[in-house]
Amino acid sequence: MPLKPFRYHKALLNLNIRQTGWLAIVNFLVLLFSVPLQVFFAWEHRQAIGHSPSDFAHYHNLFSEYFDVQFVLMIGFPVLLSMVLFRYLHHRTACNFFHSLPIRRGTLYAHFTTIGVAYILLPLLLNGAILLLMRTALSEMNFFYRYKDVGYWVTVTGTFELLIFAAGVFVAFLSGMSSAQAVLTYILLLFPTGIMDLIFVNLRFFLFGLLPDYYNENTLMSLSPLTDAALNLAYDKNTLQWEKIIVYLAFVILFLSLSLWLYKKRPLEAVSQAIIFRQLRPIFKYGVTFCSMLLGGAYFGSVGNNLVWVFIGYLTGSLIGYFIAEMVLQKSWRVFTHIKGYLWFAAAATILILLAQADITGFQHRVPDLKDIKRVYFSSNSFAYLQKLKANAPFIADGPSQYAEPYLYESKNIETIRELHKEIIKNKSKLTNKDIYPETVFIAYELKNGHRVIREYHLPDGNPYAAYLRRIYNSKEYKESEFGVLNIRPEQVAEIKITPNDSDVKKGLITEADQIHDALEALKEDIMKVEVVPNTIYNSDAMITVQLKTGKNKQFDMPFNDNYSRFERVLQEYGLLDK
Amino acid sequence: MIEAKNLWKRFDEGDVLKDVSFTVKKGSIYGLLGTNGAGKTTLLKTIAGVYQPERGQVTISSQPVFENPAIQERFVFMPDALYFFSQYTIQQMAQFYKQIYPTWSDERFHALHEVFRLDPRKKIHKLSKGTKRQVAFWLLLSTMADVFILDEPFDGLDPVMRKKIKSLLLHDVAEREVTILISSHNLREIEDFCDHIGMLHAGQLVLDRELDDVKSEIHKVQAAFKDGLPEDLFRSVDLLYKEERGSVLLCIVRGDVEDILIEFRKWQPVILDVLPLTLEEIFIYEMGEVGYAIETIPLS
């Protein structure tokens, strides 16, 4: 296909500025009020009342100011823009008018798209310039942001907005209705995360030991630009590395080129159809049916705790989805006789479910060989481990490690874990009702080849599992990694605090060096000695806090176990315990 | 000038145009007639380059129309549902047309102000339906284009304005050899206006003739015979329709008028008249031929 150059039409530019120019002004003003003006008034306030550097701890970057407004603008404005600019495709008389003008489709497209890009970028660059000017002109503005923060803010906001705009334009050419365009754009943007999330949540019903959160937390959320922006931008300094920016911009080019290609194929007479291209309608129909089947399964599976409920969820979800899709396509309520397509879908879905259940990859029975394992993370909770895997975890990014890191390297302990794991697999059929069992074990094998094998199980009380758990929890290695206190020396400690749960009882505080020494040694000895019994709620009246000298937050908290007899004696010696 | 060759256009519901071919000569006015839903609007949009036909091609001056601005700027398409930019005044809309159509004439625009007598600073969307139609003609005529494609253009115009606009269009045809393709369901409207007609039925062109030829081919004959109806008469003429009103026979016959009269005279009619046929009657009888007949409506 020879590329004909797009001709510039002053008439189209004038038309656009007159009709849609207000969008650029709105974009400019919202940005102005939510970023430069916000920073300016914060600065002015600080000038009046004085400040210390710690006042600015929450200023990670320019997204930290009014992020909610920025976020709404970032995901809302580009879609609105694509709807307004390409409204003429979805409106029959406008569509006839524009396409009877002596202007090629490609030229129309180039004009409208360029205008859209300009409406996104010009207000943004102008606000960037204002920020640079403020930074230069106002003293002490450096506490709030650096020059390179401005560059980052402009680049990241621009990239996100262009990506969302390009997706909106792409969908505008697939759809014949503006309302369908808006909905489908957001579905498209959320799709990568949403579908993977649904698939993993549903696979859990069939693959014993699968932990959906592992996949969600790690990779899934950054698959969709919407969740990526929502979860990461405000908390983290560098969510968007340049690699990601390049990927996003590549998608911008892809979407915009596909749109032009679609434009040339678009049957204009199909205005007001939800999906313009006949060939795409089955994809839409069965796509919606499939997703809502998974959603139904996820819902019924989470409330019902039983595979029967999961299947009821599949049936309900897929039926609802199928008829909704059919209603959208037929633009009518009377679709309940169109059942033939559903029967085909049901047959295909049954095969798919059987395949999932067949566990072709042997997921459920995989226990890595001892010689392949580098180390194992073993805990009753996956949260800390998953947070650690996220490079920019907002919750532990700047705090100390409050969470223990129970990594086990000794082959004796790893072997115990493997035996427990095999025992669990052997009893799979008894263990699949997850919520009945109180004890959770989370196992993360980290292999020598860099792979991970991640599993989570819910176990009942008592043997045979409790015996394994006791062996693991009471191993020296486990205790040393579980109880961070064991690894610190007395001279690192600033104070040890006893905080009773009952607030009437007075607090104990140890600050003198020799007392700290004695108490810490006693505490360590108690921890090593006292047996950890799995799934026991300790009768604990107080919390022990060991505060270190360095770092504001560097502290260890643990419950005061009644069996910590030596520690208790030491406290009594110093008269700190009024029991 | 305009040539449509074997056009096929398919919508979701099926074929809307089935192998439509016709030619409009330069400087002529081609009237497109058709039953409801016959595909007139689709055909005009396809000719104007809005729709792309599945098969076939539309050319103007032997150049393809679709996606060809060099040709598209030589014609203006006026759709049945008019479109103006919201909030635009007549003046602003004229400015837009001026930037789009290279043949636009400001003198024409100002001269036509005398005819339309509308304030160019008025916002178009506030005008009435008929007045919007006038604005559309004002703009159309000011483009000085070579070809006008008009879909039901006289809808909503009052009779005076209709006459004025027709004479303006005829003036352009006479002076500048403008070619006009016009569709209408109001046959009287274009009877005195077109020199060529095409009839579209169910996506097919069932008639495509000079209006004069059509009129000289079909005749309404009124006759009365002394000895009742001579049945053999109808075997020797191409009868489209007959009706008896008492002893008077009224029939529509196709063929050369002289030949028909000779046939009738053989039976020594008492009365024999050839009456002029209106376009409306031609339409009805032609459509009857293709199975779109007027049924006797059983009303009580």
Side-chain angles (χ1 to χ4, degrees):
Chain A
M1 182 174 60
L3 263 178
K4 292 180 188 149
F6 303 130
R7 211 175 113 196
Y8 165 68
H9 281 276
K10 193 162 172 253
L12 286 181
L13 187 70
N14 289 346
L15 173 74
N16 267 309
I17 290 173
R18 220 189 281 251
Q19 297 222 293
T20 56
W22 60 275
L23 280 165
I25 296 170
V26 168
N27 186 18
F28 172 76
L29 289 178
V30 176
L31 282 174
L32 181 73
F33 283 96
S34 60
V35 184
L37 279 182
Q38 281 296 318
V39 178
F40 175 78
F41 286 115
W43 172 85
E44 201 202 19
H45 186 62
R46 285 288 161 208
Q47 292 300 13
I49 65 165
H51 54 80
S52 71
S54 65
D55 294 337
F56 301 98
H58 70 285
Y59 280 93
H60 295 303
N61 55 35
L62 285 163
F63 292 105
S64 310
E65 271 306 314
Y66 253 22
F67 180 68
D68 38 3
V69 178
Q70 287 195 52
F71 180 69
V72 170
L73 183 73
M74 188 189 286
I75 69 164
F77 175 70
V79 173
L80 178 70
L81 186 63
S82 67
M83 284 167 70
V84 172
L85 287 175
F86 291 97
R87 175 93 185 101
Y88 75 90
L89 290 172
H90 302 152
H91 187 276
R92 193 176 290 280
T93 57
C95 183
N96 290 336
F97 176 80
F98 276 98
H99 296 102
S100 69
L101 294 175
I103 302 173
R104 224 176 258 127
R105 271 147 227 235
T107 307
L108 283 172
Y109 175 73
H111 275 80
F112 284 87
T113 312
T114 312
I115 285 280
V117 170
Y119 285 0
I120 287 170
L121 291 185
L122 291 181
L124 188 63
L125 289 172
L126 220 64
N127 273 286
I130 293 171
L131 282 166
L132 290 179
L133 224 90
M134 273 168 43
R135 174 73 173 74
T136 317
L138 303 175
S139 63
E140 296 191 334
M141 195 49 109
N142 52 330
F143 287 117
F144 290 87
Y145 60 91
R146 296 158 296 173
Y147 285 116
K148 70 174 196 183
D149 288 337
V150 178
Y152 179 71
W153 179 73
V154 170
T155 314
V156 169
T157 308
T159 306
F160 268 112
E161 291 202 357
L162 286 180
L163 177 65
I164 295 169
F165 174 69
V169 172
F170 173 63
V171 176
F173 284 95
L174 289 179
S175 175
M177 288 193 287
S178 295
S179 50
Q181 181 199 348
V183 175
L184 290 174
T185 303
Y186 288 114
I187 290 178
L188 174 70
L189 289 168
L190 279 172
F191 186 75
T193 296
I195 187 72
M196 296 305 276
D197 199 7
L198 279 177
I199 286 175
F200 282 116
V201 166
N202 278 279
L203 276 179
R204 195 195 60 195
F205 301 131
F206 304 106
L207 297 181
F208 181 55
L210 182 85
L211 175 63
D213 291 354
Y214 167 56
Y215 305 94
N216 303 358
E217 290 288 329
N218 247 334
T219 41
L220 292 188
M221 287 305 168
S222 55
L223 280 182
S224 155
L226 296 187
T227 47
D228 194 19
L231 293 177
N232 299 326
L233 272 187
Y235 306 106
D236 179 50
K237 292 186 178 64
N238 289 307
T239 303
L240 280 198
Q241 259 82 36
W242 60 270
E243 295 98 328
K244 211 188 235 177
I245 291 182
I246 287 175
V247 171
Y248 279 177
L249 290 178
F251 267 99
V252 171
I253 292 168
L254 178 74
F255 279 141
L256 292 183
S257 326
L258 277 177
S259 305
L260 179 59
W261 181 74
L262 286 175
Y263 199 174
K264 300 202 162 151
K265 306 241 167 256
R266 184 182 171 94
L268 294 177
E269 62 274 12
V271 163
S272 85
Q273 294 287 345
I275 307 282
I276 284 279
F277 295 94
R278 221 175 303 162
Q279 304 87 322
L280 292 180
R281 288 180 200 157
I283 299 178
F284 172 79
K285 184 159 93 178
Y286 294 112
V288 170
T289 311
F290 182 64
C291 288
S292 87
M293 176 183 98
L294 293 183
L295 195 65
Y299 174 77
F300 279 92
S302 68
V303 293
N305 276 317
N306 179 330
L307 264 190
V308 175
W309 281 110
V310 173
F311 288 115
I312 291 175
Y314 287 158
L315 188 69
T316 322
S318 59
L319 273 173
I320 293 175
Y322 179 82
F323 285 121
I324 287 180
E326 197 68 0
M327 282 173 201
V328 170
L329 288 178
Q330 307 289 341
K331 294 204 287 181
S332 159
W333 293 100
R334 285 169 295 172
V335 294
F336 294 100
T337 51
H338 305 188
I339 196 74
K340 205 172 121 202
Y342 182 78
L343 295 179
W344 284 110
F345 173 84
T350 310
I351 294 172
L352 200 69
I353 291 167
L354 287 175
L355 278 178
Q357 210 162 13
D359 185 18
I360 304 159
T361 60
F363 178 92
Q364 302 177 89
H365 298 98
R366 188 174 306 139
V367 179
D369 282 341
L370 186 62
K371 61 177 188 341
D372 296 333
I373 299 171
K374 196 173 95 193
R375 59 179 186 175
V376 181
Y377 182 102
F378 188 90
S379 171
S380 60
N381 186 333
S382 60
F383 180 76
Y385 184 79
L386 297 182
Q387 283 298 317
K388 250 178 65 70
L389 283 187
K390 284 180 75 181
N392 330 307
F395 302 104
I396 60 167
D398 14 62
S401 168
Q402 285 201 19
Y403 302 99
E405 296 187 353
Y407 284 111
L408 301 175
Y409 294 85
E410 284 173 19
S411 43
K412 189 185 74 181
N413 293 325
I414 294 177
E415 194 50 41
T416 313
I417 292 171
R418 290 183 68 242
E419 280 165 23
L420 168 67
H421 194 173
K422 286 179 191 159
E423 183 70 32
I424 293 171
I425 291 169
K426 210 168 74 192
N427 292 305
K428 177 193 159 194
S429 53
K430 288 185 225 155
L431 293 173
T432 31
N433 288 357
K434 70 164 191 174
D435 281 335
I436 300 169
Y437 302 126
E439 181 78 23
T440 302
V441 296
F442 170 71
I443 311 172
Y445 300 97
E446 295 186 0
L447 305 186
K448 286 176 182 152
N449 62 10
H451 291 181
R452 290 192 172 89
V453 176
I454 310 271
R455 297 289 184 275
E456 190 180 71
Y457 300 101
H458 302 278
L459 305 176
D461 274 338
N463 289 324
Y465 315 107
Y468 290 104
L469 291 177
R470 261 173 207 245
R471 266 160 67 196
I472 297 163
Y473 287 150
N474 290 304
S475 69
K476 181 163 176 285
E477 191 185 21
Y478 186 85
K479 280 191 173 172
E480 276 171 357
S481 53
E482 174 70 20
F483 297 93
V485 182
L486 292 175
N487 303 318
I488 54 173
R489 283 165 283 120
E491 54 274 24
Q492 289 174 278
V493 177
E495 59 183 37
I496 297 176
K497 209 162 41 183
I498 318 297
T499 319
N501 296 341
D502 184 351
S503 57
D504 291 343
V505 186
K506 90 169 201 231
K507 289 178 185 172
L509 185 66
I510 308 174
T511 48
E512 281 170 39
D514 49 342
Q515 291 186 355
I516 286 176
H517 182 273
D518 290 352
L520 188 66
E521 288 306 314
L523 181 62
K524 283 182 179 178
E525 203 173 296
D526 280 338
I527 290 173
M528 290 309 290
K529 210 169 63 194
V530 172
E531 194 188 16
V532 180
V533 183
N535 197 37
T536 310
I537 297 158
Y538 294 109
N539 203 4
S540 159
D541 303 323
M543 288 297 289
I544 308 170
T545 303
V546 177
Q547 177 79 52
L548 299 192
K549 284 170 182 162
T550 50
K552 199 170 71 174
N553 299 317
K554 194 81 180 163
Q555 63 180 43
F556 297 95
D557 296 303
M558 70 193 84
F560 195 156
N561 188 321
D562 276 354
N563 299 326
Y564 289 175
S565 51
R566 226 195 119 194
F567 182 64
E568 202 174 320
R569 248 191 340 268
V570 171
L571 294 185
Q572 261 162 354
E573 266 172 44
Y574 295 123
L576 288 167
L577 224 55
D578 37 25
K579 270 204 173 172
Chain B
M1 189 72 186
I2 306 175
E3 197 179 3
K5 253 189 264 167
N6 309 100
L7 297 183
W8 287 81
K9 182 70 201 162
R10 196 185 166 78
F11 287 175
D12 279 356
E13 304 79 34
D15 288 324
V16 181
L17 297 181
K18 297 172 197 159
D19 200 21
V20 174
S21 303
F22 67 99
T23 311
V24 184
K25 280 186 295 208
K26 187 173 166 66
S28 77
I29 304 178
Y30 190 107
L32 190 62
L33 313 174
T35 48
N36 292 337
K40 290 186 300 255
T41 297
T42 305
L43 179 57
L44 291 185
K45 283 183 184 171
T46 310
I47 287 168
V50 176
Y51 293 166
Q52 185 174 22
E54 264 77 43
R55 267 183 281 160
Q57 198 184 31
V58 181
T59 56
I60 290 183
S61 303
S62 314
Q63 297 279 318
V65 172
F66 189 73
E67 287 279 81
N68 187 355
I71 286 300
Q72 284 173 304
E73 61 192 18
R74 288 176 52 197
F75 72 80
V76 183
F77 171 54
M78 187 195 280
D80 52 349
L82 297 174
Y83 178 79
F84 301 102
F85 305 129
S86 60
Q87 303 298 328
Y88 262 45
T89 63
I90 299 174
Q91 184 68 56
Q92 286 166 341
M93 205 69 206
Q95 189 63 28
F96 180 84
Y97 271 77
K98 184 184 173 177
Q99 287 169 334
I100 294 288
Y101 291 98
T103 46
W104 175 272
S105 159
D106 275 334
E107 297 99 80
R108 203 15 130 58
F109 184 73
H110 293 305
L112 287 172
H113 191 196
E114 291 302 308
V115 179
F116 293 104
R117 298 187 177 282
L118 297 168
D119 181 357
R121 287 164 303 177
K122 273 251 166 69
K123 292 204 168 177
I124 299 172
H125 73 272
K126 288 186 180 161
L127 301 174
S128 75
K129 187 181 165 215
T131 320
K132 281 184 187 151
R133 190 57 79 174
Q134 291 182 34
V135 173
F137 270 112
W138 189 358
L139 296 168
L140 176 97
L141 290 163
S142 305
T143 58
M144 304 283 276
D146 297 343
V147 177
F148 297 146
I149 299 171
L150 313 172
D151 193 2
E152 303 280 358
F154 301 119
D155 264 14
L157 289 175
D158 64 63
V160 176
M161 192 44 78
R162 210 175 293 190
K163 207 161 173 63
K164 274 194 202 172
I165 287 172
K166 274 189 191 170
S167 69
L168 285 168
L169 289 170
L170 287 170
H171 176 268
D172 262 8
V173 172
E175 292 291 303
R176 303 198 293 115
E177 278 207 286
V178 165
T179 311
I180 298 179
L181 175 58
I182 181 171
S183 85
S184 181
H185 57 261
N186 189 341
L187 304 172
R188 271 180 214 142
E189 195 74 84
I190 55 174
E191 182 159 20
D192 54 348
F193 187 64
C194 299
D195 45 36
H196 201 110
I197 57 165
M199 261 187 221
L200 203 60
H201 176 65
Q204 283 174 308
L205 208 58
V206 293
L207 183 104
D208 176 22
R209 284 295 192 44
E210 292 284 330
L211 189 54
D212 290 343
D213 289 354
V214 175
K215 287 196 170 179
S216 63
E217 255 174 29
I218 303 180
H219 310 280
K220 182 152 70 172
V221 183
Q222 201 174 24
F225 300 92
K226 248 185 282 179
D227 314 318
L229 277 186
E231 289 300 328
D232 288 344
L233 167 66
F234 303 120
R235 260 176 248 131
S236 55
V237 295
D238 188 357
L239 183 78
L240 292 178
Y241 178 78
K242 78 170 161 70
E243 186 183 317
E244 285 169 66
R245 290 179 187 166
S247 58
V248 178
L249 167 75
L250 193 70
C251 58
I252 311 287
V253 185
R254 203 201 304 262
D256 184 69
V257 67
E258 292 308 319
D259 295 346
I260 293 169
L261 287 176
I262 290 168
E263 284 301 321
F264 271 80
R265 285 198 184 109
K266 283 182 188 164
W267 304 93
Q268 291 146 6
V270 195
I271 310 169
L272 180 61
D273 285 321
V274 176
L275 306 171
L277 207 59
T278 63
L279 192 53
E280 193 156 335
E281 283 165 311
I282 295 173
F283 180 82
I284 290 168
Y285 299 124
E286 284 292 337
M287 285 306 160
E289 286 277 277
V290 293
Y292 193 76
I294 318 162
E295 310 293 339
T296 320
I297 304 161
L299 281 179
S300 72

